[in-house]
Amino acid sequence: QLQLQESGPGLVKPSETLSLTCTVSGGSISSSDYYWGWIRQSPGKGLEWIGNIYYSGSTYYNPSLKSRVTISADTSKNQFSLKLSSVTAADTAVFYCARQQKLRYCSTSCVGPPDYWGQGTLVTVSS
Amino acid sequence: DIVMTQSPDSLAVSLGERATINCKSSQSVLYSSSNKNYLAWYQQKPGQPPKLLFYWASTRESGVPDRFSGSGSGTDFTLTISSLQAEDVAVYYCQQYYNNPPAFGPGTKVDIK
């Protein structure tokens, strides 16, 4: 059974960098069948796609966050990570990591909807 | 970017009655080459991550009860719960994966009347 678990600090100061890691068990992030992504949920903005990474290392970032986001992977640890720089209170949210299937039928995107999610971790931005 | 809207914001339905949630996309999510709608539905209960219910607008994920159904095409979609059970109390979201960035609707809260 695939499991994803987010980890990282629950409190980050404004202007600093938020760093989270997702540890995957029961499956490999090196599979060509899946993308691995980050999504956040805040009361004000609902569910917001942050970005994802493919086994090849290619990444996609939401244009609204692109200048501040980096997603990377460590295949030796079966983990992928999120860094969000220059955070403000508006970045306070529950952050989820998730798996998405690579679609057989691509439109302008080949990334399917998330089918496995981590439990989520609340990150608060405050001094 | 494609913008997703949902209606109503919330609804209260008696146990055993039908619940209907609507989702609209700002542009079509039907891809002509595949003849598929790139639309998913999720259920989220308090303190839990969203759970995938449907993809391709109407393909039920494994384990989802058949009282749930998804329908629609192009820009207009519907999630129907044919006979509401107590365990169906949740917020329901639609999501387009037709293009990047993927976008979720604002959610519809379903309660028991």
Side-chain angles (χ1 to χ4, degrees):
Chain A
Q1 175 77 356
L2 185 75
Q3 291 187 319
L4 298 89
Q5 180 65 57
E6 304 89 353
S7 60
L11 181 64
V12 181
K13 289 182 169 53
S15 80
E16 295 190 344
T17 296
L18 178 161
S19 295
L20 296 174
T21 295
C22 182
T23 300
V24 178
S25 57
S28 172
I29 68 168
S30 299
S31 170
S32 60
D33 292 333
Y34 305 106
Y35 294 81
W36 303 91
W38 289 95
I39 300 149
R40 68 180 181 179
Q41 185 172 30
S42 61
K45 281 195 153 186
L47 286 160
E48 182 180 28
W49 200 272
I50 299 172
N52 57 38
I53 188 165
Y54 192 44
Y55 85 105
S56 61
S58 64
T59 53
Y60 167 77
Y61 302 137
N62 191 322
S64 68
L65 298 168
K66 187 174 183 177
S67 63
R68 299 194 291 133
V69 172
T70 303
I71 296 175
S72 60
D74 184 338
T75 55
S76 68
K77 295 181 179 179
N78 217 33
Q79 296 175 333
F80 60 105
S81 299
L82 168 70
K83 291 188 186 299
L84 180 65
S85 64
S86 305
V87 297
T88 69
D91 294 309
T92 294
V94 175
F95 286 76
Y96 296 101
C97 58
R99 184 188 85 168
Q100 307 121 261
Q101 293 205 3
K102 184 179 186 301
L103 297 175
R104 176 186 297 182
Y105 307 104
C106 297
S107 56
T108 58
S109 167
C110 289
V111 184
D115 55 1
Y116 281 90
W117 298 62
Q119 281 301 305
T121 187
L122 173 63
V123 179
T124 301
V125 179
S126 176
S127 55
Chain B
D1 295 4
I2 296 177
V3 177
M4 307 300 292
T5 56
Q6 290 182 231
S7 63
D9 294 337
S10 63
L11 73 161
V13 175
S14 300
L15 288 172
E17 296 300 305
R18 178 184 299 264
T20 301
I21 300 166
N22 300 301
C23 171
K24 191 173 184 69
S25 56
S26 61
Q27 65 187 73
S28 177
V29 297
L30 173 62
Y31 192 55
S32 56
S33 297
S34 63
N35 196 33
K36 290 184 177 294
N37 288 284
Y38 289 64
L39 190 284
W41 286 99
Y42 298 86
Q43 174 194 66
Q44 187 177 30
K45 297 181 179 179
Q48 296 183 19
K51 173 189 174 183
L52 180 64
L53 297 177
F54 291 91
Y55 52 97
W56 302 133
S58 60
T59 301
R60 192 179 291 108
E61 182 76 336
S62 175
V64 174
D66 61 7
R67 63 180 179 273
F68 290 89
S69 63
S71 63
S73 184
T75 61
D76 293 280
F77 300 90
T78 300
L79 175 68
T80 302
I81 309 172
S82 61
S83 175
L84 190 75
Q85 305 300 303
E87 61 265 32
D88 301 335
V89 169
V91 180
Y92 293 84
Y93 297 92
C94 59
Q95 182 227 336
Q96 70 82 13
Y97 51 102
Y98 180 88
N99 66 10
N100 289 322
F104 294 86
T108 295
K109 185 175 183 181
V110 174
D111 270 322
I112 304 294
K113 185 186 291 183

